[in-house]
């Protein structure tokens, strides 16, 4: 186990990055900066590196930098309310069939990494890839929040929530 926040671990991480093709990190922006993995530092020290930063809520807005998990992302994106599955107390029930937000976010990241590596082969320069679970969750709700939604009330509530998030 490597403690990347310890002095020795940080040095080892920096040496590994010097030889790596791709870095995939699921860390908050503050933790990445503490490790010397800001966008600027990576571009300066590792210009050919494809750096992938994934998080629950992305790089900007009120929730940026906050940790999250599958349940939190389902709730924050409106997926739980949209499914209309309720617990006995009336609260929304989690979608349990799979990690409905994190799996698609991972698939999108895999496609982005492939594209970034292709770009690097052509140009010689690395790429920065940013992704977040809430974005994937909102993308998969296109029919629910689109104009032709069969559930007008759910659409109205979801659109109000999305509008509020965009203003943040």
């Amino acid at each position: 186990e490597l403690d990347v926040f310890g002095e020795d671990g940080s040095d080892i991480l920096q040496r590994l990055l010097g030889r790596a093709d791709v870095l995939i990190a699921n860390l908050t922006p503050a933790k990445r900066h503490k490790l010397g993995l800001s966008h600027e530092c990576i571009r300066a020290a590792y210009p050919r590196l494809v750096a992938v930063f994934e998080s629950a809520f992305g790089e900007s807005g009120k929730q940026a930098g906050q940790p999250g998990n599958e349940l939190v992302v389902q709730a924050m994106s409106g997926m739980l309310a949209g499914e209309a599955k309720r617990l006995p107390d009336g609260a929304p029930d989690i979608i349990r069939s799979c990690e409905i937000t994190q799996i698609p976010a991972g698939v999108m990241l895999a496609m982005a990494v492939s594209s970034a590596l292709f770009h690097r082969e052509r140009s010689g320069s690395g790429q920065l890839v940013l992704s977040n679970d809430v974005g994937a969750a909102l993308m998969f709700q296109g029919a629910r929040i689109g104009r032709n939604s069969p559930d007008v009330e759910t659409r109205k509530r979801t659109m109000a929530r999305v509008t509020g998030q965009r203003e943040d």
Side-chain angles (χ1 to χ4, degrees):
E1 184 173 313
L2 179 63
D3 175 11
V4 294
F5 291 103
E7 187 176 325
D8 291 339
S10 180
D11 291 342
I12 292 169
L13 175 63
Q14 298 301 322
R15 285 197 311 270
L16 289 171
L17 289 176
R19 297 189 314 230
D21 290 311
V22 179
L23 163 68
I24 299 175
N26 187 350
L27 297 168
T28 64
K31 286 185 180 180
R32 288 196 318 263
H33 287 249
K34 183 177 177 183
L35 287 171
L37 298 177
S38 69
H39 305 162
E40 299 78 20
C41 290
I42 285 177
R43 286 191 194 276
Y46 315 105
R48 292 184 46 83
L49 183 68
V50 172
V52 179
F53 297 123
E54 203 280 336
S55 64
F57 300 106
E59 299 281 310
S60 61
K62 282 186 190 177
Q63 299 299 321
Q66 295 298 313
N69 60 33
E70 181 68 24
L71 176 59
V72 170
V73 171
Q74 286 184 23
M76 295 286 290
S77 69
M79 281 185 136
L80 290 183
E83 287 295 306
K85 292 170 45 181
R86 302 282 179 217
L87 295 171
D89 67 358
D93 194 8
I94 188 170
I95 301 167
R96 299 175 195 276
S97 58
C98 68
E99 286 77 17
I100 197 72
T101 65
Q102 293 175 347
I103 290 172
V107 170
M108 289 187 291
L109 278 178
M111 290 187 290
V113 167
S114 296
S115 297
L117 287 169
F118 179 77
H119 173 82
R120 186 182 73 183
E121 283 301 309
R122 294 285 175 105
S123 70
S125 64
Q127 293 284 293
L128 175 65
V129 177
L130 303 173
S131 179
N132 67 78
D133 296 335
V134 168
L138 290 172
M139 180 189 75
F140 280 102
Q141 295 184 82
R144 179 166 290 124
I145 57 179
R147 288 185 176 261
N148 299 321
S149 175
D151 185 344
V152 175
E153 288 305 312
T154 298
R155 180 185 182 280
K156 213 184 301 185
R157 288 190 304 271
T158 303
M159 285 307 296
R161 192 174 309 113
V162 169
T163 299
Q165 289 175 340
R166 286 180 180 154
E167 291 171 356
D168 295 339

